[in-house]
Amino acid sequence: MRRRSSGSTDDEDLETEQQRPQLPVQSPPRASFNDDERKRSFTSSKFDVARHSDTLDRRKVERAFQPSPQLLNPQQNNEWPQDSKTEVGSDKLRQEQSNLGQQQQQRELQDKTMSRFDRGRARLRSPWRISLLTLATTLTAIGLLLAIVNSFFTKQLDSKGYKMSYSSPAFAKFTGFDTEHTRFASKYSLYLYREQGVDEDLRVKGVPVLFIPGNAGSYKQMRPLASDAAHWYAEYVQQNPAMLKAGIRGLDFFTTDFNEEFTAFHGQTLLDQAEYLNDAVAYILSLYHDPKRSKRDAGLPDPTSVIIVGHSMGGIVARTMLVMPNYQSNSINTIITMSTPHARAPVSFDSGIVSTYKTINDYWRQAYSQKWASDNPLWHVTLISIAGGGLDTIVPSDYASLSSLVPDTHGFTVFTSGVPNVWTGTDHLSIIWCDQLSRVIPRALIEAVDVTRPGQTKPRAERMRIFKKWFLTGMERVAEKTLPQKEPTTLLTMEDNSNSILTAGEKLTVRKLSKSGKPKAYLLPVPPQTIPENAKFTLLTDQTLDEAGAHGTLEVLFCSVYPLHPGQSAQLFSMNMDLSGSTSGSTRLACKNAASDVIKLPASTMASHFSWDDGKPFSYLQYDLEQMTEHQFVAVVDKGKSQSPGWVLAEFGDNAHSIINSGVGMKRLLTTGLHSTLPAGRPLVTDVRIPAVHSSLLAYKLKLGSSSCGDSSPLFTPLLRQYLTEPFESKFFVNVKETDINIHGIAPFMPPALRAHAMTDGMSLQIWSDPSCSSSIDLNLQVDFIGSLGKLVMRYRTVFPAIPLVIIALVLRKQFMIHDQSGIFMTFTEGLDLCLRSSLPILLLAMTFLSMSLASSSSHPGGSTSAGIFHWRKNSTESAIDYTKNDLLLGSQDPFFWFLIPLFGLVSAGVCVLVNYAALLLTHLCCFAYKALTAWPSWFKGDDRRRNLCPAFSSTSPRRRIIITSALLFMVSTIIPYQFAYMVACIAQLATCTRALRVAIDTNSTSHYCFHNYAHSILVLMLWVLPINIPVLVVWVHNLAVHWLTPFSSHHNVLSIMPFILLVETLTRGKMIPRLHNKFRHVTNIMFFFLAVYAALYGVTFAYQLHHLANLICAWLVAVHFSGSSFSLDKFSRMLEGEDGEGLKKRP
């Protein structure tokens, strides 16, 4: 057999063999082979023959189809048989002549086969080639991706109205909190905050509050909260003896320095922080027992609990504290979180973070599902979750919902856009330093404390009432009214013949206050209980409603007739309001003040632009009829003595006129939209309820049009409140004419709510308009298709590590199938083109039908998707609510969004093409640099012969490779996480692709191009799995940066990285994977298909599993590699002794 040089091509060899005279060629002896040239050859002779076995088989077939030259041209060779003396008989000659035509047909068929082979080989050698289908798919994907990104950054953006807060901080570090108290003392630190100029005493004297920073957060982020708490206590609480007598004191803010750790990426880091904080709570409580460090009154009980305020992942750490072994019972009873993803982990790249979320969420759900309070370890705990809304581009605000975790009696979720006096959305960081919000949170906490109790807070029910008052609008279904629990405090005396009593059903409209120049009361009779149900009283004014005894301009009282008998004293009431004048006859009313139930609304005038504009807010009262059963009149008292521009509107109405239930469906919303008209005789407040608008993935455009108000100007312009019943999201729009509408309703991957049908109420539009203005209002709601594209970014950004892996797995599956059949390993682009024509559309279609079937099954009562399609895992003890039913596919149970699967499949295919070309570009750039570096010594010496030689593909001895691999695996098992080794493997694979590309370019060999395509496809797979491993690697690097030298506490499983390392090490030798001709070739097919299916079904929820599945595939590929080699223990021992596979010592 003739040995061809590694630099020759298959075509050159074939042409040479056909054209060269058939002369015997003597091969040079083996000993004459130059050792230096052997080192620079692509492989050894033995390996070269094995590598090109497919090419030699093709040549044998080619020679078999070639007829004898004598038969093809007998006249030229003069060897036609003429008589019996010829060597071939006449019968044999006739047989050959009869077969000549058949041989010619076979030769033509062979030419066609070789032509197709050459065209395929041309594609192999042009990895940049792209078909029209792939090009069209890529361009479409790029267009869709750009439209989505552009919509996210430019469409449906909430307005920013938060203001910067300022403080004068001083931090005192507790050096005594050392290793005797916690094993993390050398890594974390504990501080006490004091506001300079207000409170500089380092002794504790108030109620302890512990602030927990979030992912990569600083301990200094709590400055706005602590600063406002210090100022509010010093300037207001200390000046109010009644509050001090009620046990209200200031707050001692503590904070922890976690060195800006990445808790969102690493579950063990989250657990470490929770353990440290429980130790910190025990230490903080011990400070109040030390007379040298405490300045509390001796008669007060020592604190037994700490209030927790957490930002982002700090809120998850706070909830984790209650499930840790070192948690002290009842040491935490109040938790307030800001922008915390309670419902699910923001990323699922780490198994620890996913399992930790499952543990704490299961614990909280199980606790609140107990029938008796004594069985609930969280019965005393209140949890408030505050979300920033659409401006938060770090964590989806949908994840802040507590609907699936905590009942309304123990907590709720509220958005900053609905918090009174805030009325603006916030982003992930500004929610901490937003001046409007940083005033609300500490004041709510101060009102909730009670130092006369060991828990340092009021009872749970009272705390919830306080938090609802400070954080909710007051119009939610869980809002509590104080009027029924009050006792009459004001005695109102009026003249008997007063004409200020309105008739039943009459509306009160006061366009100017104090018009008569003296106090006046307007009485609205409370309707009897016989009127239609759901009647309510509403009042709106631009004035501040007075508390009892205040000297303002307007006061609202709920009164009953109080017959004062002779001898009965009127001093039973703290206030006596006499409006009878000098008349003898008078009517006395025992009244309750309604100021404590007032709802503040942003002012909406002709000059208003945003809800957070500076200015005095409107005052609004709303009571249902059953809340006023013991009263007979509503008295609106104008206490002004001089005319003022204030106005008042009040009326009794019923829901039949004030509530519009829209039955419009999604199909009509998408086509024509919603059109409604509010008549001229409308109530003060109108509710338009649209159950079809419930998804977080759709955005809308709203227009309100009204005609002029006639001769008189309107008292105020239309005020709009967009709200959801759960979670409590409200947005206010002042002077509204046209606005964007987007909600945080039903979102992908969110677990179902504890309360049945909590999310099916849909969105409602509450509109306040001037009823005295006799003009109708037209309402027009349309779907904003372009704006809706941007809503996919926050809800589905974790899709991109998963769905493109579906494409890559299918492409690799196709490449290996063709390789096993023909010996050709096609390019990644060609494999993607074949998948776009066959397997990918079928898989996407199957996924689409599966999502629609799951959605239809979940819509039936008792439907459960997590139990499997056939309910194999369902049992009698299973919870009635399936909290994992939205983990599958794209996490949506709405069949309307069936198109998202093919949409993301199309975008992912285009992204895979871009990543493929990016990897090719990187490989070519590295190849160019590698070639320049290796050729530099030859250029310097002028040695053209050395420059033209093909470089050795692997110059490292097997023993050295074994030692390096073993050392790396040993470090993984002890010191470094396997993610670090994976990154090293990616870099090594890139180097392998670079060298393979150079060898392929220099040799122009089909087999070398096949190996490059194989190595490149493995690189693409590894690059797409790399983002799953980067977050944990970042945590490890951060630990080194803060000099935390303790070995990494997780991710030391050698088996999680060994197959990757072995495969990469195998490829560094330039060894092509053998073809499989037996039934084992189906194993490769099945494994890649399973990876694709799992990535499609659970890739988003359990992204970390994709690494392990790819790792199993690499283990199989390594096994296939070793199946084609004559490996033995004897050969392995020779490798360790420094010999190569042929038993020759390697040169050092």
Side-chain angles (χ1 to χ4, degrees):
M1 179 183 293
R2 183 184 61 86
R3 188 192 317 274
R4 67 177 178 89
S5 63
S6 61
S8 62
T9 65
D10 296 338
D11 291 340
E12 292 172 354
D13 294 341
L14 186 60
E15 294 173 359
T16 303
E17 290 187 7
Q18 291 177 348
Q19 297 174 5
R20 184 180 300 171
Q22 302 296 322
L23 296 177
V25 180
Q26 183 176 1
S27 300
R30 181 178 181 87
S32 64
F33 192 92
N34 185 274
D35 290 338
D36 187 56
E37 292 181 359
R38 182 181 60 200
K39 282 183 140 184
R40 289 175 170 80
S41 64
F42 177 65
T43 55
S44 65
S45 174
K46 179 179 179 180
F47 184 69
D48 188 48
V49 172
R51 172 173 293 281
H52 303 302
S53 59
D54 294 334
T55 305
L56 295 179
D57 291 341
R58 177 178 56 82
R59 294 174 186 166
K60 291 178 182 178
V61 175
E62 201 173 21
R63 295 192 190 100
F65 281 122
Q66 288 181 352
S68 174
Q70 290 85 356
L71 294 176
L72 290 178
N73 197 353
Q75 296 180 357
Q76 180 179 353
N77 294 279
N78 295 322
E79 294 185 3
W80 281 106
Q82 296 179 358
D83 51 28
S84 60
K85 297 181 180 180
T86 60
E87 296 180 0
V88 182
S90 58
D91 53 347
K92 186 176 181 180
L93 178 61
R94 284 192 300 270
Q95 183 179 359
E96 292 182 354
Q97 288 176 344
S98 64
N99 294 335
L100 185 61
Q102 184 178 357
Q103 294 175 354
Q104 182 67 24
Q105 294 177 357
Q106 292 176 346
R107 186 167 61 254
E108 293 176 356
L109 178 61
Q110 174 67 11
D111 291 341
K112 293 180 180 179
T113 303
M114 294 305 299
S115 176
R116 290 195 300 269
F117 178 82
D118 292 338
R119 290 196 299 269
R121 186 170 55 193
R123 289 193 295 269
L124 281 173
R125 298 180 181 179
S126 300
W128 299 95
R129 290 172 60 95
I130 186 171
S131 66
L132 291 178
L133 175 61
T134 307
L135 178 61
T137 301
T138 305
L139 294 178
T140 304
I142 293 175
L144 289 173
L145 193 60
L146 291 178
I148 292 174
V149 174
N150 177 71
S151 174
F152 175 71
F153 285 106
T154 61
K155 306 295 183 182
Q156 290 284 332
L157 301 179
D158 293 343
S159 301
K160 300 179 180 180
Y162 43 81
K163 303 174 183 178
M164 178 64 73
S165 58
Y166 299 93
S167 61
S168 300
F171 293 94
K173 183 177 180 180
F174 289 98
T175 57
F177 188 46
D178 51 18
T179 54
E180 294 183 0
H181 299 86
T182 177
R183 63 190 182 102
F184 297 101
S186 60
K187 186 179 182 181
Y188 305 139
S189 303
L190 181 66
Y191 291 87
L192 173 67
Y193 179 91
R194 285 294 182 247
E195 181 73 6
Q196 298 184 28
V198 178
D199 183 11
E200 300 181 0
D201 191 350
L202 297 182
R203 291 177 297 176
V204 295
K205 50 185 173 293
V207 176
V209 178
L210 179 60
F211 174 80
I212 307 176
N215 183 62
S218 170
Y219 69 98
K220 298 180 180 180
Q221 291 176 325
M222 42 77 70
R223 291 174 296 179
L225 300 175
S227 175
D228 186 82
H231 284 279
W232 177 254
Y233 177 75
E235 299 170 4
Y236 180 74
V237 177
Q238 282 189 322
Q239 315 304 323
N240 193 327
M243 298 182 71
L244 294 175
K245 186 177 180 180
I248 297 179
R249 295 293 186 272
L251 304 177
D252 292 327
F253 266 90
F254 298 85
T255 181
T256 52
D257 182 10
F258 289 134
N259 297 307
E260 301 180 2
E261 276 190 325
F262 298 93
T263 49
F265 300 155
H266 192 217
Q268 187 59 47
T269 299
L270 191 150
L271 295 176
D272 292 345
Q273 291 187 5
E275 179 183 344
Y276 173 82
L277 288 172
N278 278 329
D279 295 335
V281 167
Y283 180 79
I284 290 171
L285 294 177
S286 68
L287 297 177
Y288 292 85
H289 298 272
D290 188 354
K292 297 180 180 180
R293 296 188 174 185
S294 177
K295 195 182 175 182
R296 287 168 57 94
D297 296 338
L300 296 177
D302 294 327
T304 60
S305 67
V306 175
I307 298 174
I308 302 294
V309 177
H311 171 246
S312 186
M313 291 301 294
I316 298 299
V317 176
R319 291 178 51 215
T320 308
M321 294 170 63
L322 281 74
V323 303
M324 297 296 292
N326 64 333
Y327 170 69
Q328 295 183 10
S329 180
N330 298 330
S331 61
I332 298 174
N333 61 21
T334 302
I335 303 176
I336 293 183
T337 65
M338 296 174 286
S339 296
T340 296
H342 290 285
R344 61 180 289 115
V347 291
S348 58
F349 296 161
D350 176 48
S351 60
I353 201 73
V354 175
S355 61
T356 301
Y357 258 86
K358 185 179 186 305
T359 300
I360 61 175
N361 285 351
D362 289 347
Y363 177 82
W364 281 66
R365 289 174 183 138
Q366 182 67 22
Y368 287 119
S369 65
Q370 300 301 317
K371 181 178 181 180
W372 305 105
S374 58
D375 298 330
N376 182 2
L378 304 178
W379 180 256
H380 63 287
V381 178
T382 55
L383 175 61
I384 309 299
S385 176
I386 305 175
L391 292 177
D392 191 344
T393 58
I394 304 298
V395 173
S397 290
D398 307 276
Y399 292 0
S401 175
L402 299 175
S403 301
S404 64
L405 297 169
V406 180
D408 296 336
T409 55
H410 290 74
F412 56 83
T413 305
V414 65
F415 286 71
T416 58
S417 57
V419 177
N421 296 319
V422 179
W423 296 320
T424 178
T426 56
D427 59 43
H428 196 70
L429 294 178
S430 66
I431 195 172
I432 305 177
W433 52 259
C434 172
D435 185 61
Q436 300 98 308
L437 185 62
S438 64
R439 296 174 184 269
V440 175
I441 295 177
R443 299 177 188 186
L445 289 176
I446 289 176
E447 186 175 344
V449 303
D450 184 359
V451 295
T452 62
R453 298 168 55 89
Q456 302 297 291
T457 58
K458 292 180 172 63
R460 178 192 53 81
E462 183 67 13
R463 269 179 284 146
M464 287 298 299
R465 186 193 63 79
I466 293 172
F467 292 148
K468 290 174 184 178
K469 182 188 73 171
W470 281 95
F471 295 123
L472 299 184
T473 63
M475 294 172 281
E476 293 81 3
R477 57 177 177 79
V478 298
E480 300 179 12
K481 302 294 185 182
T482 61
L483 184 68
Q485 288 77 35
K486 284 185 174 182
E487 294 294 332
T489 57
T490 302
L491 180 63
L492 178 62
T493 305
M494 301 183 61
E495 54 184 314
D496 289 339
N497 58 352
S498 174
N499 57 3
S500 299
I501 301 178
L502 280 67
T503 60
E506 183 181 358
K507 299 179 180 180
L508 173 65
T509 302
V510 180
R511 304 188 68 89
K512 288 185 179 181
L513 294 176
S514 306
K515 191 173 183 179
S516 61
K518 62 179 182 178
K520 183 178 181 180
Y522 302 91
L523 296 183
L524 284 77
V526 176
Q529 294 295 318
T530 57
I531 67 170
E533 297 181 356
N534 299 323
K536 61 182 180 181
F537 168 77
T538 55
L539 179 145
L540 182 66
T541 178
D542 62 345
Q543 302 296 305
T544 301
L545 298 186
D546 288 348
E547 296 277 358
H551 302 285
T553 58
L554 189 66
E555 187 172 351
V556 177
L557 304 172
F558 284 77
C559 306
S560 301
V561 176
Y562 184 80
L564 187 60
H565 301 287
Q568 185 177 5
S569 174
Q571 295 180 357
L572 297 174
F573 302 92
S574 59
M575 291 299 301
N576 188 359
M577 190 179 298
D578 189 358
L579 303 180
S580 62
S582 58
T583 59
S584 57
S586 60
T587 301
R588 294 175 176 83
L589 302 175
C591 304
K592 301 178 182 179
N593 188 281
S596 59
D597 291 333
V598 70
I599 299 171
K600 295 183 178 180
L601 300 177
S604 179
T605 63
M606 297 296 293
S608 301
H609 296 89
F610 301 102
S611 56
W612 61 82
D613 288 341
D614 294 332
K616 186 168 63 174
F618 289 172
S619 297
Y620 177 65
L621 286 176
Q622 176 178 303
Y623 290 97
D624 293 330
L625 186 59
E626 56 267 20
Q627 296 172 331
M628 302 179 292
T629 54
E630 61 180 271
H631 306 291
Q632 297 168 324
F633 296 96
V634 177
V636 180
V637 183
D638 179 5
K639 300 191 297 182
K641 298 181 180 180
S642 60
Q643 184 172 338
S644 63
W647 50 265
V648 179
L649 296 172
E651 65 181 19
F652 280 94
D654 59 85
N655 292 338
H657 297 90
S658 61
I659 296 179
I660 300 176
N661 291 305
S662 174
V664 61
M666 183 57 64
K667 183 182 298 184
R668 182 179 169 187
L669 278 175
L670 293 174
T671 54
T672 61
L674 171 65
H675 305 276
S676 182
T677 300
L678 308 183
R682 61 188 175 274
L684 171 63
V685 185
T686 304
D687 254 1
V688 181
R689 299 179 178 177
I690 318 171
V693 179
H694 57 260
S695 175
S696 299
L697 299 178
L698 292 178
Y700 304 86
K701 289 283 188 180
L702 176 68
K703 294 182 180 179
L704 284 182
S706 60
S707 56
S708 61
C709 201
D711 298 335
S712 60
S713 60
L715 297 177
F716 65 98
T717 56
L719 171 63
L720 172 68
R721 174 190 172 224
Q722 162 212 321
Y723 71 95
L724 295 174
T725 57
E726 191 168 341
F728 300 131
E729 180 187 23
S730 295
K731 293 182 181 179
F732 291 93
F733 303 93
V734 299
N735 194 19
V736 60
K737 297 180 178 64
E738 181 177 355
T739 187
D740 295 330
I741 299 294
N742 53 81
I743 62 175
H744 292 83
I746 299 178
F749 305 109
M750 287 292 294
L754 294 174
R755 188 174 66 91
H757 309 294
M759 306 296 293
T760 59
D761 297 337
M763 182 192 70
S764 298
L765 301 175
Q766 193 171 13
I767 304 172
W768 289 265
S769 58
D770 186 1
S772 64
C773 186
S774 57
S775 63
S776 60
I777 296 179
D778 296 325
L779 185 147
N780 184 9
L781 184 68
Q782 298 281 349
V783 177
D784 184 3
F785 294 99
I786 302 300
S788 299
L789 291 177
K791 302 306 173 184
L792 299 175
V793 175
M794 290 302 298
R795 278 77 180 188
Y796 284 114
R797 58 182 179 177
T798 55
V799 163
F800 287 101
I803 301 300
L805 198 58
V806 177
I807 313 295
I808 294 174
L810 291 178
V811 171
L812 281 165
R813 170 178 170 270
K814 180 64 69 174
Q815 288 177 305
F816 276 95
M817 289 176 60
I818 300 299
H819 171 67
D820 291 336
Q821 293 173 3
S822 65
I824 300 298
F825 204 95
M826 64 178 65
T827 63
F828 185 88
T829 309
E830 186 177 2
L832 179 59
D833 178 68
L834 293 179
C835 290
L836 289 175
R837 301 175 187 273
S838 57
S839 57
L840 183 57
I842 295 176
L843 181 60
L844 293 179
L845 184 63
M847 291 168 54
T848 302
F849 280 110
L850 177 61
S851 65
M852 296 177 66
S853 65
L854 292 176
S856 61
S857 64
S858 65
S859 63
H860 297 294
S864 176
T865 58
S866 71
I869 300 176
F870 303 101
H871 304 278
W872 287 335
R873 293 184 356 228
K874 193 171 182 181
N875 56 71
S876 58
T877 62
E878 190 174 351
S879 173
I881 302 177
D882 180 14
Y883 295 105
T884 62
K885 69 177 184 179
N886 293 332
D887 290 345
L888 284 171
L889 293 171
L890 296 182
S892 176
Q893 296 296 322
D894 192 345
F896 171 77
F897 295 103
W898 64 267
F899 61 89
L900 289 180
I901 292 180
L903 172 66
F904 284 119
L906 178 62
V907 174
S908 298
V911 171
C912 288
V913 173
L914 296 179
V915 172
N916 171 60
Y917 282 125
L920 280 175
L921 179 61
L922 179 61
T923 304
H924 279 73
L925 291 177
C926 293
C927 180
F928 176 80
Y930 174 63
K931 189 172 184 180
L933 291 176
T934 55
W936 173 257
S938 301
W939 293 339
F940 183 76
K941 298 179 181 179
D943 190 353
D944 293 336
R945 182 183 64 83
R946 287 180 174 269
R947 186 169 62 246
N948 293 330
L949 288 175
C950 178
F953 198 86
S954 180
S955 59
T956 307
S957 66
R959 183 175 66 174
R960 183 176 301 177
R961 293 198 302 269
I962 292 174
I963 293 175
I964 294 175
T965 302
S966 301
L968 183 60
L969 293 177
F970 175 76
M971 294 178 65
V972 168
S973 64
T974 55
I975 302 176
I976 65 175
Y978 69 77
Q979 287 81 0
F980 178 82
Y982 184 84
M983 175 167 284
V984 173
C986 289
I987 297 174
Q989 184 64 17
L990 176 62
T992 299
C993 291
T994 301
R995 302 174 73 178
L997 178 61
R998 180 180 177 183
V999 170
I1001 293 176
D1002 289 346
T1003 62
N1004 199 24
S1005 170
T1006 299
S1007 58
H1008 297 164
Y1009 274 102
C1010 284
F1011 176 76
H1012 171 258
N1013 293 338
Y1014 169 50
H1016 174 77
S1017 297
I1018 297 298
L1019 176 64
V1020 172
L1021 174 64
M1022 295 180 67
L1023 288 179
W1024 212 263
V1025 178
L1026 181 61
I1028 300 176
N1029 295 277
I1030 284 181
V1032 175
L1033 183 60
V1034 169
V1035 175
W1036 178 70
V1037 173
H1038 179 269
N1039 282 354
L1040 295 181
V1042 298
H1043 305 290
W1044 179 249
L1045 303 181
T1046 302
F1048 208 56
S1049 56
S1050 64
H1051 300 89
H1052 293 298
N1053 189 354
V1054 176
L1055 297 180
S1056 297
I1057 192 60
M1058 181 183 293
F1060 278 111
I1061 294 178
L1062 294 179
L1063 180 61
V1064 170
E1065 192 278 330
T1066 302
L1067 295 182
T1068 58
R1069 296 180 292 164
K1071 183 179 180 181
M1072 184 63 186
I1073 188 170
R1075 296 170 58 187
L1076 295 177
H1077 301 282
N1078 50 21
K1079 59 182 179 180
F1080 288 106
R1081 69 179 185 274
H1082 300 298
V1083 176
T1084 308
N1085 188 344
I1086 293 174
M1087 293 187 74
F1088 277 112
F1089 185 75
F1090 181 77
L1091 174 60
V1093 172
Y1094 188 90
L1097 293 179
Y1098 290 103
V1100 178
T1101 304
F1102 305 103
Y1104 66 92
Q1105 293 285 12
L1106 301 179
H1107 168 92
H1108 300 297
L1109 292 178
N1111 188 52
L1112 289 177
I1113 292 177
C1114 290
W1116 168 250
L1117 296 181
V1118 171
V1120 174
H1121 271 283
F1122 278 98
S1123 67
S1125 62
S1126 57
F1127 182 79
S1128 64
L1129 293 178
D1130 182 64
K1131 185 176 179 180
F1132 179 75
S1133 64
R1134 290 199 302 270
M1135 289 181 180
L1136 294 179
E1137 293 174 0
E1139 300 179 1
D1140 62 2
E1142 302 296 328
L1144 298 177
K1145 288 285 185 178
K1146 283 288 184 180
R1147 290 188 177 183

